[in-house]
Amino acid sequence: MTPIPIPEPPRLPFIGNIADIDAENSIRSFRSLAHRYGEIYRLSLPGASLVFVSTRELVNDACDETRFKKVPNNVLKEIKAGLGDGLFTANLEAPSWGIAHRVLMPAFGPVGIRNMFDEMKDIATQLALKWARQGPHKRICATQDFTRLTLDAIALCSMGFRFNSFYSEKMHPFPDSMTEFLLETGRRSQRLPLPGFFYKTQDAEFQAHINVMRETAEQVLKERIADTDNQRKDLLAAMLKGRDPVTGEKLSDQSIIDNLITFLVAGHETTSGTLSYAMYRLIANPEDYRKVQQEVDQVIGKGPVTAQHMTKLPYISAVLRETLRLDSPIPIMGVCAIEDTLLAGKYPVRKGEFVNCFLSMSHLDPAVFEDPLVFKPERMLDENFNKLPKNSWKPFGNGARACIGRPFAWQEAVLVLAMLFQNFNFVLADADYELAHKQTLTMKPDNFYIRAMLRDGLDPVQLGHRLAGTEVPSIKRKVPVADVTLTSRTQWKHMTVLYGSNSGTCENMAQRLAMDAVSHGYRVSTLDCMDAAVEKLPKDQPIVIITASYEGQPPDNAAHFVSWINSLESNQALRGLQYAVFGCGHHDWAQTFHRIPKLVNRRLEDLGATKIADIGLADAAGEDMFVSFETWEDDVLWPTLDALRAAEGGESPQEMKPAPLKVQVSSMRSSLQKNDVEEGKILATRILTADGEPVKKHVEIRLPPGVHYRPGDYLTVLPVNPKNTVQRAMRRFGLSWDSTIVIEGAGTRLPTNELVPAESILSGFVELAQPATRRTILALAEAATSKVDRDALKNLASDGYDAEVVTKRVSILDLLETYTSIELPLGSFLTMLPQMRVRQYSISSSPLENPSISSISFSLISGHASSGRGEYFGVASTYLGGLEPEDRLRVSVRPSHAAFHLPSTPEKTSLILVAAGTGIAPFRGFIQDRAVMMESGRKVAPAVLYHGCREKGKDDLYADELAEWEKLGVVTVKRAFSRKPEESGGAKYVQDLLWADRGHFLSMWRNGAQLYVCGSRKVSKGVEKVIKSIRQEDAKSRGEDLSDEDVQKWWDESRNVRYATDVFD
């Protein structure tokens, strides 16, 4: 076979490809280059040539130890300055490596690892008790605590030294020096080739950190040598007493110190990363989480975890294997060519050239792993794991230089997961957290916070007994402090409010319900996400659950709750519970409309709970959801709960009102300082449409540090209200432009008990344009001093509500301006308003172009207000439309549905992209992604874009860019022009274009193309209708009779398999 040249990015003089690598996150740069150039590429750095391979086939060939050997790369050479000739950094030929390896191998055998179990468990117990004592609402930085755990465990087990990291906020200096040392080694390996004096300060700090590590190890060694009575049989004892069976030599003190530091560095970093990633993956995948917990409950039960359990937890082992496949803490394994050779018989590699096996990519090889980006522990159960092709899973390295501490790390990880999942339930502290990676020597999740809630009704004392295997005191129900009296005859009754919410709507409703509860004599004892209530539903108070569905799936913070209730089998499991459910949804998703709230409502009843009120359902396509919720509250929920109070002998409180927010106004200036890490910056803006056309804009944004995305994902934006709307509110309440206020009260997300500008609150914290609800209109009627206004408002809240308020989107502010006799305090006004919500836009760029920059494409919404009060301005589009380069804004990235991403085999899988208007946004990102690949020399399968526009040259968005990409062969673009269909072959809309081109569509579909649709619901339905007609016509041409029911079934079964949609209004 003729050798194939290895692709290389363009180089710069002297520095080669250094500019292509992010010094803070080189792995992200390497991954981006792999997407650009494919399975192999070469980088040139000062003094080194590096080849990166990203498929199982190439990694397998590089693992041939007759042709490739492990040689410390640039980073390991820098690490060697601190670790010396330890097992991790010494050359294979170095005598010290061979002696240490042979002396220590027995210590890492089954007996040696088993003997370390009790001390491992001691440290794991410290972690569990810390989390228990901190309580269920504590934000826990999982990576930090797992690092404390693994560092303390390796220090205690290997050398009998206690860092006691869980007993002090300020840790021993060794961990801090070690962290700084590792960070600097990465930076040093990517330095520009400048004279040494340029790095004098950094070098001095680097050496100081090395001194701390070596002095600590030396102190441990000296203390052990001095302690002649010490009978420990740990790694330090093995190094002091053991002799090499080949040479008969003992390890030198220098070699012992080198390896002590090596154990501390390498022996904790990877395991803490693995545990952190495993925790994230399990929380993100409730069904797998439940299987882990079920395995632990069946194997270990309620007793202490023992060494005998370690081999009886196959599912936890599978979870760890799958975690290491997706998130290997060591993402690269480096080898060096012994002689000139051909990788996989086709790519020439020179003698002495480094070959980096890029495990972060080869572990995702679609030729080996089906759905490679999906977390599937079942594929890693022993039988399946043993069938994997050779060298397709390499997190512990290869051959003679594979990780010697693998058995230690495995026992520790299994023990910790078993202990934690036996005794705790977990939720994300930030429900919208998306996995981000932090790179030092290894990879770990960044800013990963969780909450830990004890199971089985345990308290920390009882947990301590369980972990120790001593008798657990009987669990006594805690008696609450005496209820606070409302009046001489009425007492508070407790209730629980739970929500499942991604966008914040259901959470907002839950907060509103908690505030309303006061006026009915109820105190909300628990207001939390549904996941926090797993195994903890109270039976002594009513429970109200408010949740949505997302394409038939539960919200992120309700998935574990749904998995839990589905796993319960006894029809008496929840007997004694009293509950009510309210659900949100959109009727256009007919198959999954309200699926989750209905499932929860039915399932709780099936499990023996008592439904105290009929389910309430809101349809986002119909009446405003807040209106539907308040109607359900007033007409169904509160009458039921009031009757429940009366039935239990309580008296309903009379004429109680929720305590309004108190607002003090001042004319002093102040400002709110916002140092938000999720702050982005506008880089460029441009209008995409011609003059006279409805404005559509393109905005480019520099993302916050550490934020990454894939083509097809969303950018969420936290907007501010339009300036003219804010000015209207300030005029109505007599506020000057520099007025400041102090808000006093509870149960609000507004900043309280501090001086803040009134304009800041009205701009960024509340939704001023939200349509008024029936209840708020009635409250305004009570506050009106004019009978005419009062009667008019009461009519609006009843007969005129749908036509005059909902249809015209009349806000509270509109009503305050119309009915001037309303005397409403500012605090009451703020109480009526929902908090500002984020808006979501499809990202219209590819990270291959620049991973730190994303763009969005949107329509500017404005026009005459239906309410009759001036102009209407869309909140988010007006905000974004007014931003200029260098302006700052609050953003984050949210993933789209898993199916709405590019296929993992771009060379093989064709794309059919269908969009109208700004629905082209994600497809610009798709096409740009493939364009970058092609410009880098990579081949991609054909793609066709069908785009619905109004008129050529007017709103055919990104026409010039798409024309250039067409020339490159990246995509074929076909447009429908609704104003001039004669210019698009008679096709007026994009679905007409699809029908006219159905022969091409069918050809691509039969060859395995993936279909993506983005646009309004009307577009989506139109495309669906056309494609079903194409399918029926095709079947008829082949003599088949495909009924409407049959074709609908085919379409439904193809969803998120062969096609994916992203629909907006």
Side-chain angles (χ1 to χ4, degrees), residues 106-107 109-116:
V111 175
I113 296 301
R114 166 61 184 84
N115 290 338
M116 298 178 190

Side-chain angles (χ1 to χ4, degrees), residues 66 93 99 150 229-230 357 359 406 456-457 539 696 753 788 806 859 898 908 933 1046:
T66 65
E93 299 83 2
I99 294 171
T150 54
D229 295 329
N230 192 303
C357 299
L359 305 181
R406 175 176 177 174
D456 302 324
K539 295 186 178 181
K696 302 181 192 298
N753 304 316
V788 174
V806 176
S859 299
K908 300 177 181 178
M933 291 182 190
D1046 291 336

Side-chain angles (χ1 to χ4, degrees), residues 342-358:
L342 289 177
L343 259 177
K346 53 186 175 181
Y347 296 116
V349 176
R350 300 183 291 269
K351 177 182 178 179
E353 191 168 24
F354 285 104
V355 176
N356 285 329
C357 299
F358 196 7

Side-chain angles (χ1 to χ4, degrees), residues 739-760:
S739 291
T740 57
I741 61 178
V742 176
I743 300 172
E744 300 174 358
T748 177
R749 291 295 180 91
L750 301 178
T752 56
N753 304 316
E754 60 179 314
L755 203 61
V756 295
E759 185 179 30
S760 174

Side-chain angles (χ1 to χ4, degrees), residues 13-325:
F14 304 111
I15 63 173
N17 296 115
I18 281 183
D20 293 315
I21 304 172
D22 181 349
E24 298 299 322
N25 196 333
S26 60
I27 297 302
R28 185 167 67 178
S29 301
F30 299 148
R31 184 181 289 112
S32 178
L33 290 166
H35 283 300
R36 275 181 184 246
Y37 293 98
E39 64 178 357
I40 187 169
Y41 62 90
R42 176 182 281 120
L43 296 181
S44 295
L45 303 176
S49 175
L50 307 178
V51 173
F52 286 79
V53 297
S54 301
T55 61
R56 201 285 312 183
E57 179 190 18
L58 296 180
V59 168
N60 180 58
D61 203 38
C63 288
D64 181 354
E65 292 187 278
T66 65
R67 295 160 52 224
F68 297 91
K69 64 179 180 179
K70 176 71 177 285
V71 176
N73 58 23
N74 284 1
V75 176
L76 288 183
K77 287 177 181 177
E78 298 294 344
I79 291 175
K80 193 170 183 177
L83 276 60
D85 277 334
L87 288 171
F88 189 47
T89 49
N91 288 319
L92 186 62
E93 299 83 2
S96 58
W97 183 86
I99 294 171
H101 193 265
R102 289 187 291 270
V103 166
L104 286 167
M105 277 299 290
F108 283 104
V111 175
I113 296 301
R114 166 61 184 84
N115 290 338
M116 298 178 190
F117 180 85
D118 290 341
E119 289 184 336
M120 281 185 185
K121 184 179 175 182
D122 177 22
I123 302 300
T125 297
Q126 293 178 28
L127 171 71
L129 289 174
K130 175 188 177 183
W131 287 4
R133 290 164 181 158
Q134 287 177 329
H137 298 289
K138 173 69 176 179
R139 288 172 57 86
I140 298 167
C141 183
T143 52
Q144 286 184 6
D145 274 358
F146 282 137
T147 297
R148 291 171 185 259
L149 167 94
T150 54
L151 180 66
D152 281 18
I154 188 64
L156 180 59
C157 295
S158 67
M159 60 194 75
F161 186 82
R162 287 187 180 270
F163 282 114
N164 287 325
S165 301
F166 290 114
Y167 295 101
S168 174
E169 283 299 316
K170 186 175 181 180
M171 296 177 67
H172 187 283
F174 182 97
D176 288 337
S177 286
M178 176 186 62
T179 300
E180 292 302 319
F181 164 76
L182 294 174
L183 289 170
E184 183 60 20
T185 57
R187 291 189 285 261
R188 288 166 72 90
S189 67
Q190 297 173 37
R191 282 181 176 180
L192 295 173
L194 300 174
F197 66 82
F198 280 96
Y199 303 107
K200 184 177 179 180
T201 301
Q202 295 95 317
D203 288 347
E205 292 176 352
F206 186 62
Q207 188 58 50
H209 294 310
I210 291 173
N211 293 341
V212 169
M213 294 192 300
R214 298 198 71 82
E215 287 166 5
T216 302
E218 187 175 356
Q219 176 190 352
V220 171
L221 176 60
K222 287 181 177 178
E223 289 179 359
R224 177 64 67 88
I225 292 172
D227 186 4
T228 56
D229 295 329
N230 192 303
Q231 298 299 312
R232 286 181 59 88
K233 295 181 180 180
D234 53 20
L235 299 181
L236 178 52
M239 288 190 289
L240 280 169
K241 299 174 183 179
R243 288 188 178 274
D244 178 16
V246 175
T247 66
E249 294 182 38
K250 297 180 67 175
L251 288 173
S252 67
D253 287 356
Q254 184 71 28
S255 182
I256 292 174
I257 290 172
D258 290 345
N259 281 294
L260 285 178
I261 299 173
T262 297
F263 294 148
L264 292 173
V265 173
H268 91 280
E269 271 283 295
T270 51
T271 312
S272 65
T274 300
L275 286 168
S276 300
Y277 281 123
M279 180 65 75
Y280 169 78
R281 293 291 176 184
L282 288 171
I283 293 177
N285 294 275
E287 295 304 317
D288 303 311
Y289 176 112
R290 189 70 43 216
K291 290 174 183 176
V292 166
Q293 217 159 50
Q294 288 171 347
E295 179 177 78
V296 170
D297 291 347
Q298 291 168 6
V299 174
I300 303 173
K302 306 304 181 185
V305 184
T306 67
Q308 286 70 35
H309 292 133
M310 295 298 94
T311 58
K312 300 176 182 179
L313 299 166
Y315 198 78
I316 287 183
S317 290
V319 164
L320 291 169
R321 287 169 178 160
E322 181 72 345
T323 297
L324 288 168
R325 183 186 71 82

Side-chain angles (χ1 to χ4, degrees), residues 771-829:
T773 65
R774 294 177 190 270
R775 186 194 298 168
T776 54
I777 297 174
L778 290 174
L780 295 179
E782 290 183 16
T785 57
S786 161
K787 185 178 185 302
V788 174
D789 286 354
R790 193 160 49 248
D791 291 345
L793 287 164
K794 288 181 178 178
N795 180 65
L796 280 180
S798 54
D799 296 340
Y801 183 74
D802 290 337
E804 297 299 322
V805 178
V806 176
T807 303
K808 296 180 179 180
R809 295 192 62 81
V810 174
S811 68
I812 297 171
L813 181 58
D814 291 332
L815 296 174
L816 289 174
E817 291 176 328
T818 302
Y819 302 100
T820 56
S821 75
I822 299 173
E823 295 181 355
L824 189 73
L826 178 58
S828 297
F829 177 65

